[in-house]
Amino acid sequence: MYKSNSENKRSGSKQLDKFISKRAFSIFAAVAMITGISFAPLGAIGTAAFGMMGFGNVASGNASSGNASFSTAAFGVNKADAYAQTIDIWWPVSTQPMSGTQPFKAMLENVSVDQYNMFWQVDSGQLNYMPSNYNGYPHKETSVDFSGWTWKGSGPYNINFVAEDFNSNVLSEKSVAITVANGLPEYGTVSAAPSPAPAPSVNITWPQNNTTVSGSEQLQAQVAGMPLNNYQMYWQVDTSQLNSMADGQTASGQQVKIANIDFSGWTWKGSGPYTITFVAKDLSGNEIAQASVQIMVGGSATATATTATTQATSTATPSSTSTATPSSTSTTTPQATSTTTPSSTSTTTPSSTTTSTSSSPSNTSSSTTTTTSSSTPTSTPTTTSSTTSNTTTPISSSTSNSTTATSQNLFSGQKLWVDPNSDAANWIRNNNSAGSYDISLMQKIADGSTAAWFSKDWISNIYDAVNNYVTNAADAGAMPVMVLYDIPYRDCGQYSAGGTDSTNYESEVNDFANAIGARRAAVIVEPDALALTSCLSADQLAQRFQLISYAVSRFKQNPNTAVYLDIGHPDWLTPQQAAANLARADVAGADGFSLNVSNFYTDQQNIDYAGQIVSALQSQYGISGKRAVIDRSRNGNGSNGQWCNPSGMALGYLPTTDTGNPLVDAFLWVKEPGSSDGTCNGGPSAGTFWPDYALGLAQNAKW
């Protein structure tokens, strides 16, 4: 990293001071070892004295200089540091309760701040990146919001700082136990761990074992003694896919997880028995308990459950969780296929999805796909719902046999618009005091073309906003990429909840399309709307397909507008499910579909998935000539299965229209790198630009 002469002098002077202090301290340590003097009896006086001498926090690390070193464990210090280097923790400290938003500050002694990475974690959870800070003495610093730190009461919470080289080798780590001023009782103490809690168990309220069910009924279950917002609950039938359950409350006030199920289509095993398994997972996605019942289907039910009402679910994820925590999990029922010979069927278990942007809240989740083979074609149970519960609705097959002509690739030969007023560009302008290394990292993001997201949730006049954006791009001789993100029931009430109502949606689409006019532009239509449908009733789902079809038709009235319907990512829907949803939303009239918006899957994974969808569209629905655009904004390291601000991610390569693949019109940055996925893993609200995360993405980039 480049430094000015004055910076080098300041840094050199401070490093020399530390070297001299360390050498003096090492000599004192050697004398102490020979004479048998322990530091422990010195207590606060000794610690203060060493602090005045410039030794810093000697009570929890090693000091070394040249070939001289010593272990603080030899002098009665509580924690020994087994690494050659030592981390100095400036803040937080164990004596000061945390509240609001606080800076975490630390540094690796005697190592230039641009020669290592620093991360923090809480209670052995996920590592969170800390960027360099050059205010005062160079160090690593990040801001942490403690408002959601309630899962262990007031604490203590163990904060661990980890320094790594650029090959991810750990150079040193050091911890401090803190408390949080949240008015809650202590969870435990530093010296004594809390008594182990009893193992959680699932109580099934309905159906009861060996019950006969029919028609539409409600599954109800809970984890005994655990608040609903502390866990997720799923149901599955006969080891098939996991289906999420919503929070609810019975008429008697009992807090339960619920799912409304239509049993009328449960015929693939006759009257049964069918095994229903309820699976509870913690907010990190780890299974904590499960329980099963067997039921019969047919006739009239032998008993009925009191229907529970759904309630708003609060699932803001504490920044400390070890993995990204979805607020709910969407599920999609695989379409039953009928073939002349039995074929394998795939079932998909997606996690919750949302999409995120610099100006809009959103994020996209990951999912796990498992494939099961059977000797006969299989069907999957379907669920029906009220508008507030997570449900699974089958997508009916299209009967269209029409063949669509291949449309022109409007991206071909175009320069993509790079907005000079992007969040990354503004950060650079507003942070002149930042180190040149961090500025160079942020410049990587500012140099990329990112899509602009439009919704009346944050833009009052869609026509003016779109017109201004397209005009600026056209004046620069470039093609803009924009996102329409205002579908009713957006994101199923999760981090990016919102959207307009159905009566205003078409008017908004008209304003959007009219603002573009005959100028060249690309529109990504409603990220996740065709993949995340679990909260919709059958009528609402039908309305969603109708509204997206209208958007396709209206945008394609413009002669130079490229239109792509979003369909999630490779580990969400099967290609057949994706094709079914796209066909019903009139992808035949669009240029194609978008993949990986706000997610992390590699270019090749998305290319392979796109090819499978294109084949399914052709073979099942007679729709040909469709192509994909792929969001590569954060896929430089691929996906680790998490979706909400996961650590260790990297920028993908810069956007380009020169894809070298006839299936792919463009590789884009649909999500702005650095835009938060939501209040998880230390992130701000969805859509808020998060410089620390942006710098981490840029630092990990392979270019």
Short mmCIF file of all heavy atoms in Angstrom, two decimals, residues 444-484:
data_model
loop_
_atom_site.label_atom_id
_atom_site.label_comp_id
_atom_site.label_asym_id
_atom_site.label_seq_id
_atom_site.Cartn_x
_atom_site.Cartn_y
_atom_site.Cartn_z
N LYS A 444 -12.55 -0.49 -7.35
CA LYS A 444 -12.91 -1.67 -8.12
C LYS A 444 -14.43 -1.75 -8.30
O LYS A 444 -14.92 -2.10 -9.38
CB LYS A 444 -12.43 -2.95 -7.42
CG LYS A 444 -10.95 -3.22 -7.51
CD LYS A 444 -10.64 -4.59 -6.90
CE LYS A 444 -9.18 -4.97 -7.09
NZ LYS A 444 -8.91 -6.34 -6.60
N ILE A 445 -15.15 -1.43 -7.24
CA ILE A 445 -16.60 -1.48 -7.30
C ILE A 445 -17.15 -0.31 -8.10
O ILE A 445 -18.05 -0.45 -8.94
CB ILE A 445 -17.20 -1.51 -5.89
CG1 ILE A 445 -16.74 -2.77 -5.15
CG2 ILE A 445 -18.73 -1.44 -5.94
CD1 ILE A 445 -17.17 -2.83 -3.70
N ALA A 446 -16.58 0.87 -7.86
CA ALA A 446 -17.06 2.07 -8.57
C ALA A 446 -16.86 1.96 -10.07
O ALA A 446 -17.59 2.58 -10.85
CB ALA A 446 -16.34 3.31 -8.03
N ASP A 447 -15.88 1.18 -10.51
CA ASP A 447 -15.61 1.03 -11.94
C ASP A 447 -16.58 0.08 -12.63
O ASP A 447 -16.59 0.00 -13.86
CB ASP A 447 -14.18 0.51 -12.15
CG ASP A 447 -13.13 1.57 -11.85
OD1 ASP A 447 -13.47 2.76 -11.81
OD2 ASP A 447 -11.96 1.20 -11.64
N GLY A 448 -17.37 -0.66 -11.86
CA GLY A 448 -18.28 -1.62 -12.45
C GLY A 448 -19.65 -1.04 -12.72
O GLY A 448 -20.13 -0.14 -12.02
N SER A 449 -20.31 -1.55 -13.74
CA SER A 449 -21.68 -1.14 -14.07
C SER A 449 -22.65 -1.91 -13.18
O SER A 449 -22.69 -3.14 -13.21
CB SER A 449 -21.98 -1.45 -15.53
OG SER A 449 -23.35 -1.31 -15.82
N THR A 450 -23.40 -1.19 -12.36
CA THR A 450 -24.39 -1.83 -11.50
C THR A 450 -25.80 -1.42 -11.92
O THR A 450 -26.01 -0.34 -12.46
CB THR A 450 -24.18 -1.44 -10.02
OG1 THR A 450 -24.22 -0.02 -9.90
CG2 THR A 450 -22.84 -1.94 -9.52
N ALA A 451 -26.73 -2.31 -11.68
CA ALA A 451 -28.12 -2.02 -12.03
C ALA A 451 -28.74 -1.05 -11.03
O ALA A 451 -28.35 -1.00 -9.87
CB ALA A 451 -28.93 -3.32 -12.08
N ALA A 452 -29.72 -0.31 -11.49
CA ALA A 452 -30.49 0.59 -10.62
C ALA A 452 -31.85 -0.06 -10.35
O ALA A 452 -32.48 -0.59 -11.26
CB ALA A 452 -30.68 1.95 -11.28
N TRP A 453 -32.27 0.00 -9.09
CA TRP A 453 -33.52 -0.64 -8.67
C TRP A 453 -34.61 0.41 -8.46
O TRP A 453 -34.36 1.45 -7.85
CB TRP A 453 -33.30 -1.43 -7.38
CG TRP A 453 -32.35 -2.58 -7.53
CD1 TRP A 453 -31.06 -2.54 -7.95
CD2 TRP A 453 -32.63 -3.95 -7.23
NE1 TRP A 453 -30.51 -3.80 -7.94
CE2 TRP A 453 -31.44 -4.68 -7.49
CE3 TRP A 453 -33.74 -4.62 -6.74
CZ2 TRP A 453 -31.37 -6.06 -7.30
CZ3 TRP A 453 -33.67 -6.00 -6.55
CH2 TRP A 453 -32.49 -6.70 -6.84
N PHE A 454 -35.81 0.12 -8.94
CA PHE A 454 -36.90 1.09 -8.90
C PHE A 454 -38.14 0.49 -8.23
O PHE A 454 -38.60 -0.59 -8.59
CB PHE A 454 -37.25 1.56 -10.31
CG PHE A 454 -36.15 2.34 -10.98
CD1 PHE A 454 -35.15 1.68 -11.69
CD2 PHE A 454 -36.08 3.72 -10.87
CE1 PHE A 454 -34.12 2.39 -12.30
CE2 PHE A 454 -35.06 4.44 -11.47
CZ PHE A 454 -34.08 3.77 -12.19
N SER A 455 -38.65 1.23 -7.26
CA SER A 455 -39.89 0.88 -6.57
C SER A 455 -40.47 2.15 -5.98
O SER A 455 -39.73 3.05 -5.57
CB SER A 455 -39.61 -0.13 -5.44
OG SER A 455 -40.73 -0.22 -4.57
N LYS A 456 -41.77 2.23 -5.93
CA LYS A 456 -42.40 3.39 -5.32
C LYS A 456 -42.23 3.40 -3.80
O LYS A 456 -42.58 4.38 -3.15
CB LYS A 456 -43.88 3.45 -5.68
CG LYS A 456 -44.11 3.97 -7.11
CD LYS A 456 -45.54 4.43 -7.34
CE LYS A 456 -45.66 5.14 -8.68
NZ LYS A 456 -47.03 5.61 -8.93
N ASP A 457 -41.67 2.31 -3.26
CA ASP A 457 -41.37 2.31 -1.83
C ASP A 457 -40.32 3.35 -1.49
O ASP A 457 -40.26 3.82 -0.36
CB ASP A 457 -40.89 0.93 -1.39
CG ASP A 457 -42.03 -0.06 -1.25
OD1 ASP A 457 -43.19 0.39 -1.26
OD2 ASP A 457 -41.77 -1.27 -1.12
N TRP A 458 -39.44 3.68 -2.43
CA TRP A 458 -38.43 4.70 -2.15
C TRP A 458 -38.30 5.75 -3.26
O TRP A 458 -37.52 6.67 -3.15
CB TRP A 458 -37.06 4.06 -1.90
CG TRP A 458 -36.58 3.14 -2.99
CD1 TRP A 458 -35.88 3.49 -4.12
CD2 TRP A 458 -36.74 1.73 -3.06
NE1 TRP A 458 -35.62 2.39 -4.89
CE2 TRP A 458 -36.12 1.29 -4.24
CE3 TRP A 458 -37.33 0.79 -2.22
CZ2 TRP A 458 -36.09 -0.06 -4.62
CZ3 TRP A 458 -37.30 -0.54 -2.60
CH2 TRP A 458 -36.70 -0.95 -3.78
N ILE A 459 -39.09 5.62 -4.33
CA ILE A 459 -39.08 6.60 -5.41
C ILE A 459 -40.53 7.02 -5.67
O ILE A 459 -41.35 6.20 -6.09
CB ILE A 459 -38.45 6.03 -6.70
CG1 ILE A 459 -36.99 5.64 -6.46
CG2 ILE A 459 -38.57 7.03 -7.84
CD1 ILE A 459 -36.36 4.91 -7.62
N SER A 460 -40.83 8.27 -5.44
CA SER A 460 -42.22 8.72 -5.56
C SER A 460 -42.66 8.86 -7.02
O SER A 460 -43.81 8.57 -7.36
CB SER A 460 -42.41 10.05 -4.83
OG SER A 460 -41.55 11.05 -5.37
N ASN A 461 -41.75 9.30 -7.89
CA ASN A 461 -42.10 9.52 -9.29
C ASN A 461 -41.25 8.60 -10.16
O ASN A 461 -40.10 8.90 -10.48
CB ASN A 461 -41.87 10.98 -9.68
CG ASN A 461 -42.47 11.31 -11.04
OD1 ASN A 461 -42.31 10.56 -12.00
ND2 ASN A 461 -43.13 12.46 -11.14
N ILE A 462 -41.81 7.44 -10.50
CA ILE A 462 -41.07 6.44 -11.28
C ILE A 462 -40.70 6.99 -12.66
O ILE A 462 -39.57 6.78 -13.14
CB ILE A 462 -41.90 5.15 -11.42
CG1 ILE A 462 -42.04 4.47 -10.06
CG2 ILE A 462 -41.27 4.20 -12.43
CD1 ILE A 462 -40.76 3.94 -9.48
N TYR A 463 -41.62 7.68 -13.30
CA TYR A 463 -41.34 8.18 -14.65
C TYR A 463 -40.11 9.09 -14.65
O TYR A 463 -39.19 8.91 -15.46
CB TYR A 463 -42.54 8.93 -15.21
CG TYR A 463 -42.29 9.47 -16.61
CD1 TYR A 463 -42.58 8.70 -17.73
CD2 TYR A 463 -41.72 10.73 -16.81
CE1 TYR A 463 -42.31 9.18 -19.02
CE2 TYR A 463 -41.45 11.22 -18.08
CZ TYR A 463 -41.74 10.43 -19.18
OH TYR A 463 -41.47 10.91 -20.43
N ASP A 464 -40.08 10.07 -13.77
CA ASP A 464 -38.96 11.01 -13.74
C ASP A 464 -37.64 10.31 -13.40
O ASP A 464 -36.60 10.59 -14.01
CB ASP A 464 -39.23 12.12 -12.72
CG ASP A 464 -40.26 13.12 -13.21
OD1 ASP A 464 -40.63 13.07 -14.40
OD2 ASP A 464 -40.72 13.94 -12.39
N ALA A 465 -37.70 9.40 -12.43
CA ALA A 465 -36.47 8.73 -12.01
C ALA A 465 -35.90 7.87 -13.13
O ALA A 465 -34.69 7.90 -13.40
CB ALA A 465 -36.74 7.88 -10.77
N VAL A 466 -36.76 7.11 -13.79
CA VAL A 466 -36.29 6.25 -14.89
C VAL A 466 -35.82 7.11 -16.06
O VAL A 466 -34.77 6.85 -16.66
CB VAL A 466 -37.40 5.28 -15.33
CG1 VAL A 466 -37.00 4.54 -16.60
CG2 VAL A 466 -37.73 4.30 -14.22
N ASN A 467 -36.58 8.13 -16.39
CA ASN A 467 -36.20 9.00 -17.51
C ASN A 467 -34.83 9.64 -17.28
O ASN A 467 -33.98 9.67 -18.18
CB ASN A 467 -37.26 10.07 -17.71
CG ASN A 467 -36.92 11.01 -18.85
OD1 ASN A 467 -36.66 10.57 -19.97
ND2 ASN A 467 -36.90 12.31 -18.57
N ASN A 468 -34.60 10.13 -16.06
CA ASN A 468 -33.30 10.76 -15.77
C ASN A 468 -32.16 9.75 -15.86
O ASN A 468 -31.09 10.06 -16.39
CB ASN A 468 -33.33 11.38 -14.36
CG ASN A 468 -34.22 12.60 -14.28
OD1 ASN A 468 -34.51 13.24 -15.29
ND2 ASN A 468 -34.68 12.93 -13.08
N TYR A 469 -32.41 8.56 -15.36
CA TYR A 469 -31.35 7.54 -15.37
C TYR A 469 -31.01 7.12 -16.81
O TYR A 469 -29.84 7.04 -17.19
CB TYR A 469 -31.80 6.33 -14.56
CG TYR A 469 -30.69 5.36 -14.24
CD1 TYR A 469 -29.79 5.62 -13.22
CD2 TYR A 469 -30.54 4.18 -14.97
CE1 TYR A 469 -28.76 4.73 -12.92
CE2 TYR A 469 -29.53 3.28 -14.68
CZ TYR A 469 -28.63 3.57 -13.66
OH TYR A 469 -27.61 2.69 -13.38
N VAL A 470 -32.05 6.88 -17.61
CA VAL A 470 -31.82 6.46 -19.00
C VAL A 470 -31.19 7.60 -19.80
O VAL A 470 -30.32 7.37 -20.65
CB VAL A 470 -33.15 6.00 -19.64
CG1 VAL A 470 -32.95 5.68 -21.12
CG2 VAL A 470 -33.69 4.78 -18.91
N THR A 471 -31.61 8.82 -19.52
CA THR A 471 -31.02 9.97 -20.23
C THR A 471 -29.53 10.09 -19.94
O THR A 471 -28.72 10.31 -20.86
CB THR A 471 -31.74 11.26 -19.82
OG1 THR A 471 -33.12 11.18 -20.21
CG2 THR A 471 -31.10 12.48 -20.48
N ASN A 472 -29.14 9.96 -18.68
CA ASN A 472 -27.72 10.04 -18.33
C ASN A 472 -26.91 8.95 -19.02
O ASN A 472 -25.79 9.19 -19.50
CB ASN A 472 -27.55 9.93 -16.81
CG ASN A 472 -28.05 11.17 -16.08
OD1 ASN A 472 -28.12 12.25 -16.65
ND2 ASN A 472 -28.44 10.99 -14.82
N ALA A 473 -27.47 7.76 -19.09
CA ALA A 473 -26.78 6.67 -19.76
C ALA A 473 -26.68 6.92 -21.26
O ALA A 473 -25.61 6.74 -21.86
CB ALA A 473 -27.50 5.35 -19.49
N ALA A 474 -27.77 7.35 -21.86
CA ALA A 474 -27.77 7.61 -23.30
C ALA A 474 -26.80 8.72 -23.66
O ALA A 474 -26.11 8.65 -24.69
CB ALA A 474 -29.19 7.96 -23.76
N ASP A 475 -26.73 9.76 -22.83
CA ASP A 475 -25.79 10.86 -23.08
C ASP A 475 -24.34 10.37 -23.06
O ASP A 475 -23.47 10.96 -23.71
CB ASP A 475 -25.98 11.97 -22.04
CG ASP A 475 -27.28 12.72 -22.24
OD1 ASP A 475 -27.91 12.57 -23.31
OD2 ASP A 475 -27.69 13.46 -21.31
N ALA A 476 -24.09 9.31 -22.29
CA ALA A 476 -22.75 8.74 -22.22
C ALA A 476 -22.53 7.65 -23.27
O ALA A 476 -21.47 7.02 -23.30
CB ALA A 476 -22.50 8.17 -20.83
N GLY A 477 -23.53 7.44 -24.11
CA GLY A 477 -23.41 6.42 -25.14
C GLY A 477 -23.40 5.01 -24.58
O GLY A 477 -22.77 4.11 -25.14
N ALA A 478 -24.13 4.80 -23.47
CA ALA A 478 -24.10 3.51 -22.80
C ALA A 478 -25.52 2.99 -22.59
O ALA A 478 -26.50 3.72 -22.67
CB ALA A 478 -23.38 3.62 -21.46
N MET A 479 -25.60 1.70 -22.29
CA MET A 479 -26.88 1.03 -22.08
C MET A 479 -27.10 0.81 -20.58
O MET A 479 -26.27 0.20 -19.91
CB MET A 479 -26.87 -0.32 -22.80
CG MET A 479 -28.15 -1.14 -22.66
SD MET A 479 -28.03 -2.66 -23.64
CE MET A 479 -29.61 -3.43 -23.28
N PRO A 480 -28.21 1.30 -20.03
CA PRO A 480 -28.47 1.10 -18.60
C PRO A 480 -29.18 -0.23 -18.34
O PRO A 480 -29.91 -0.74 -19.19
CB PRO A 480 -29.40 2.27 -18.26
CG PRO A 480 -30.17 2.49 -19.53
CD PRO A 480 -29.23 2.18 -20.66
N VAL A 481 -28.94 -0.77 -17.16
CA VAL A 481 -29.66 -1.95 -16.68
C VAL A 481 -30.46 -1.53 -15.46
O VAL A 481 -29.91 -0.93 -14.52
CB VAL A 481 -28.69 -3.09 -16.32
CG1 VAL A 481 -29.47 -4.30 -15.78
CG2 VAL A 481 -27.85 -3.49 -17.53
N MET A 482 -31.75 -1.84 -15.47
CA MET A 482 -32.64 -1.42 -14.38
C MET A 482 -33.44 -2.61 -13.88
O MET A 482 -33.62 -3.61 -14.59
CB MET A 482 -33.57 -0.31 -14.87
CG MET A 482 -32.83 0.98 -15.24
SD MET A 482 -33.88 2.18 -16.11
CE MET A 482 -34.05 1.38 -17.71
N VAL A 483 -33.92 -2.47 -12.66
CA VAL A 483 -34.69 -3.53 -12.02
C VAL A 483 -36.04 -2.99 -11.60
O VAL A 483 -36.12 -1.97 -10.90
CB VAL A 483 -33.95 -4.09 -10.78
CG1 VAL A 483 -34.78 -5.17 -10.09
CG2 VAL A 483 -32.58 -4.63 -11.17
N LEU A 484 -37.10 -3.64 -12.02
CA LEU A 484 -38.44 -3.36 -11.52
C LEU A 484 -38.64 -4.25 -10.30
O LEU A 484 -38.56 -5.48 -10.39
CB LEU A 484 -39.49 -3.67 -12.59
CG LEU A 484 -40.96 -3.62 -12.13
CD1 LEU A 484 -41.35 -2.23 -11.67
CD2 LEU A 484 -41.89 -4.11 -13.24
#
